[in-house]
Amino acid sequence: MENIVLDVKNLRVQFESDEKVVQAVNDISFQVKRGQTLGIVGESGSGKSVTSLAIMGLLSPDTSQVSGEILFRNSNNLNESQPNSELINLLQLSPQEKQQYRGGQIAMIFQEPMSSLNPVYTIGFQLIEAIKQHEQVSPRQAMWKATSLLQEVKLIPSDEELLARVEAEIAEINSKNITQEKRDEKREAMQRVNDQKRAILDRYPHELSGGQLQRVMIAIAISCNPTLLIADEPTTALDVTVQATILDLLRELCSRRGMSMIFITHDLGVIAEIADTVAVMYRGKIVEKGTITSLFLKPQHPYTKGLLACRPPLDIQVERLPTISDFMEVETTATGELEIREKNTEIEMIKGSDSLPQKRQPSTTALLSVENLRVGFKVSGVFGETKRLLMAVNDVSFQVYQGETLGLVGESGCGKSTLARALLQLIPVVSGKVTFEGEDITKLYSPASTFEKIKNYKKHKKYHQKRQELRREMQIVFQDPFSSLDPRLTIGDTIMEPMLIHGVSKAGKERRDRVAYLLERVEMKPDWMGRYPHEFSGGQRQRVCIARSLALNPKFIICDESVSALDVSVQAQVLNLLKELQAEFGLTYIFISHDLSVVKFISDRIMVMNRGKIEEIGQGEDIYHRPQTEYTRQLIASIPTGNIKPLAS
């Protein structure tokens, strides 16, 4: 028992509203040992994050009721004279006493670093603030520790790397016969290299990438050497390569510091990379828990089996992904308890390609052709003039055939979304040509001034009409469904809006019938068309966005990271839906994602982008099994495969 850092017993959390009481966490118990990583996995709404907030004491007593026991031992204080320090019930502490533990001995990494960091303060200010809050140190010591922490999370070079750079500079000076003036310049350059240790402290959150911000959050969390670290979905929105780096970093920090960790995610593939033991949550309850080995090799609960099967497989090609509903049925009893019944049906879609129906064959006719496309953004000079162009898409050429799905994969910043917007003529291009159904559409984008549009009224009116016609044939589904839906419009009005803009189906009844049909096709009830976006889950909102994109019967749809923020189970449902809709409506897709496993499942061909250029393009099986470039091999190696790699306790 002396090795137990956290012991949660019969934890219940309920939220009260004017209408009803919601039981978010329902009588769960688990333990975390010193140096151990516990993975908590489940879908959105299962109670994972609420559990972590209850442990941290961040739930408001005005809106929630927490009962049970959360027993915590600060193992940093264990020594020979105090080998068995007592477990403290965190729920019985006063708000002032909780502050002594929160942040100092129990730290947390939140899911979205941009929302967790204050945009008006520098990274250094926020990191130093966390250090001074829990430790009695001088400003100079806090600055030194902040720099050391950023080195520890590998956001800035280590002292050894910086020293090597300085020695290289000195060697270059000694090897050349240069003037004293040049010598002074070299010394200044060496000083600038050394100043890199502190330069990042002066940056603001918006000046860092997602992976860098997550490293800052990790540095803040470990700044006071906590006993327990809670990581709540810390890699969900990150590229697979950045995700792999963050997982390696967390493993290394836990091993070096002897920290315990609770790692929360919806992806069992990620859990296998980092956890020792796992607790699977479903609707507020822990339905299964055990070691990584037992859970992956011999899952007992149908919900666990469903989660394991939902992720697109990499070793075989399948036509349909299994979902949770394929493994179990859920009913609510008269007493309000959930009754889960396992289905005994065999899941044929995961057995291999031999049992699959004949795969759909795309046409050999190009619907979209791109030739030497270049898209750049202006970098302003001193007086506002254009200093240079930052090329986001650089000399890209490819074709998309009728009825096929072309997968576009690459890390954030490689130019995927910029390319998508250029294809839809939402942003101007520097050069090159985009041809849709044999017509050059690059000239349709008109960034002209209002005066020029009035002067050349007929010309711009003609282009406007052609753009409107093009919009009916080309649609896009964005990554974040909540921000792409107007919160003031019901979902019925949202789906109907494109019909009104383009004058489709003049009669109101025809439009409503069309909306009802589309809602049924995306597996939502027509009776829901009077509801608003906030009344739906993330997966349901994404279905609304898909229904809206189909309102005008388009031929071509771009899915821009449309499943990256969804749970693996909901992701499987949406991917299956996209395939079904493609077969029914004869759609052509460009499917953009940073996850190669998802792209491989849904795509006929895959195009890999890196720094604005195409690395390689080919059949999905060829790209995965026989990659031609080192960048593609790195992407494949970064995919969480579910291989069991437990931490050494």
Side-chain angles (χ1 to χ4, degrees), residues 2 13 51 115 182 229-230 257 334 400 412 436 542 559 572 582 644:
E2 62 270 13
V13 180
T51 300
S115 302
K182 291 290 184 181
L229 177 64
I230 302 175
R257 289 170 168 256
V400 185
S412 295
F436 183 75
Q542 198 62 283
C559 300
Q582 183 176 44
I644 301 171

Side-chain angles (χ1 to χ4, degrees), residues 463-526:
Y463 283 169
H464 175 73
Q465 291 174 342
K466 286 190 174 182
R467 281 198 303 273
Q468 285 291 88
E469 294 172 4
L470 184 68
R471 296 285 182 264
R472 295 183 59 171
E473 305 295 341
M474 306 174 75
Q475 292 289 315
I476 186 168
V477 180
F478 293 99
Q479 176 176 358
D480 184 1
F482 194 76
S483 60
S484 21
L485 296 174
D486 190 333
R488 300 167 297 178
L489 295 180
T490 64
I491 64 167
D493 291 338
T494 296
I495 299 172
M496 199 182 300
E497 188 178 30
M499 305 181 205
L500 295 171
I501 293 173
H502 291 271
V504 177
S505 301
K506 298 293 183 182
K509 185 178 183 305
E510 291 181 16
R511 295 194 190 108
R512 289 185 64 83
D513 290 344
R514 174 70 174 165
V515 171
Y517 169 72
L518 291 173
L519 285 174
E520 286 181 338
R521 279 308 294 120
V522 298
E523 301 175 6
M524 295 184 70
K525 296 179 180 179

Side-chain angles (χ1 to χ4, degrees), residues 240 311-314 317-318 321 359 405-410 416 559 561-564 571 575 579 590-609 618-621 623-624 635 639:
V240 286
R311 188 167 180 82
L314 288 167
Q317 187 65 35
V318 298
L321 291 173
K359 189 176 180 180
T405 299
L406 176 66
L408 179 54
V409 67
K416 305 187 302 292
C559 300
E561 298 276 12
S562 54
V563 298
S564 63
Q571 174 181 277
L575 290 174
K579 280 202 166 189
I590 286 183
F591 190 90
I592 300 173
S593 178
H594 60 256
D595 190 339
L596 189 54
S597 61
V598 171
V599 171
K600 178 178 176 291
F601 163 73
I602 199 171
S603 304
D604 300 296
R605 292 186 300 141
I606 295 177
M607 183 167 71
V608 182
M609 279 193 74
Q619 296 297 318
E621 290 294 317
I623 292 291
Y624 177 72
L635 283 181
I639 301 172

Side-chain angles (χ1 to χ4, degrees), residues 416-480:
K416 305 187 302 292
S417 295
T418 301
L419 175 60
R421 284 160 174 76
L423 296 180
L424 296 175
Q425 301 305 296
L426 298 177
I427 57 175
V429 302
V430 175
S431 62
K433 184 167 68 172
V434 179
T435 305
F436 183 75
E437 291 189 313
E439 182 181 0
D440 184 3
I441 63 174
T442 49
K443 59 185 179 183
L444 297 183
Y445 183 87
S446 178
S449 65
T450 305
F451 175 78
E452 185 179 343
K453 289 180 180 179
I454 295 173
K455 183 179 178 181
N456 302 303
Y457 173 74
K458 290 185 178 180
K459 174 185 174 183
H460 287 286
K461 182 180 179 181
K462 177 183 176 182
Y463 283 169
H464 175 73
Q465 291 174 342
K466 286 190 174 182
R467 281 198 303 273
Q468 285 291 88
E469 294 172 4
L470 184 68
R471 296 285 182 264
R472 295 183 59 171
E473 305 295 341
M474 306 174 75
Q475 292 289 315
I476 186 168
V477 180
F478 293 99
Q479 176 176 358
D480 184 1

Side-chain angles (χ1 to χ4, degrees), residues 6 28-33 35-43 46-49 51-52 55 228-234 247 250-251 254 259-282 285-296 303-304 307 645-647:
L6 184 73
I28 67 170
S29 300
F30 60 87
Q31 294 179 336
V32 182
K33 296 181 180 179
Q36 180 191 62
T37 296
L38 169 70
I40 300 181
V41 67
E43 299 172 282
S46 62
K48 310 184 303 296
S49 295
T51 300
S52 66
I55 295 171
L228 176 66
L229 177 64
I230 302 175
D232 186 7
E233 300 270 13
L247 292 177
L250 288 173
R251 266 198 304 267
C254 285
M259 282 191 307
S260 303
M261 181 165 65
I262 297 177
F263 191 95
I264 298 172
T265 183
H266 60 257
D267 192 343
L268 275 168
V270 173
I271 282 290
E273 300 285 322
I274 196 166
D276 299 308
T277 58
V278 184
V280 181
M281 290 192 69
Y282 179 70
K285 286 181 171 290
I286 293 179
V287 295
E288 185 171 358
K289 56 185 175 181
T291 64
I292 280 286
T293 304
S294 63
L295 190 123
F296 270 79
Y303 181 67
T304 309
L307 285 180
K645 297 178 181 178
L647 288 173

Side-chain angles (χ1 to χ4, degrees), residues 307-460:
L307 285 180
L308 286 168
C310 283
R311 188 167 180 82
L314 288 167
D315 52 343
I316 59 174
Q317 187 65 35
V318 298
E319 281 297 303
R320 179 184 177 275
L321 291 173
T323 60
I324 299 296
S325 59
D326 293 318
F327 291 86
M328 67 184 197
E329 293 178 342
V330 183
E331 290 185 2
T332 304
T333 64
T335 59
E337 294 292 324
L338 293 178
E339 183 179 340
I340 300 175
R341 291 194 298 271
E342 183 173 4
K343 292 184 178 180
N344 296 321
T345 56
E346 291 291 333
I347 309 300
E348 295 293 334
M349 67 286 294
I350 63 174
K351 285 190 173 181
S353 56
D354 294 340
S355 61
L356 296 175
Q358 185 64 30
K359 189 176 180 180
R360 169 187 52 82
Q361 294 295 329
S363 168
T364 55
T365 304
L367 179 69
L368 183 82
S369 296
V370 179
E371 301 176 24
N372 307 113
L373 190 67
R374 300 174 75 240
V375 183
F377 297 100
K378 295 179 180 179
V379 178
S380 299
V382 179
F383 298 105
E385 78 281 1
T386 301
K387 183 179 180 181
R388 60 186 175 89
L389 286 176
L390 178 63
M391 301 310 299
V393 177
N394 197 355
D395 196 24
V396 167
S397 300
F398 62 93
Q399 289 182 323
V400 185
Y401 300 106
Q402 291 182 3
E404 86 160 336
T405 299
L406 176 66
L408 179 54
V409 67
E411 297 175 283
S412 295
C414 72
K416 305 187 302 292
S417 295
T418 301
L419 175 60
R421 284 160 174 76
L423 296 180
L424 296 175
Q425 301 305 296
L426 298 177
I427 57 175
V429 302
V430 175
S431 62
K433 184 167 68 172
V434 179
T435 305
F436 183 75
E437 291 189 313
E439 182 181 0
D440 184 3
I441 63 174
T442 49
K443 59 185 179 183
L444 297 183
Y445 183 87
S446 178
S449 65
T450 305
F451 175 78
E452 185 179 343
K453 289 180 180 179
I454 295 173
K455 183 179 178 181
N456 302 303
Y457 173 74
K458 290 185 178 180
K459 174 185 174 183
H460 287 286

Side-chain angles (χ1 to χ4, degrees), residues 192-237:
R192 286 196 298 271
V193 169
N194 197 38
D195 287 344
Q196 287 180 14
K197 291 176 63 175
R198 296 185 179 181
I200 200 165
L201 295 174
D202 296 327
R203 294 189 188 179
Y204 289 87
H206 70 272
E207 297 180 278
L208 302 179
S209 68
Q212 290 174 321
L213 288 173
Q214 201 61 282
R215 289 171 185 269
V216 173
M217 288 300 300
I218 295 172
I220 292 175
I222 66 173
S223 60
C224 299
N225 197 25
T227 302
L228 176 66
L229 177 64
I230 302 175
D232 186 7
E233 300 270 13
T235 62
T236 297

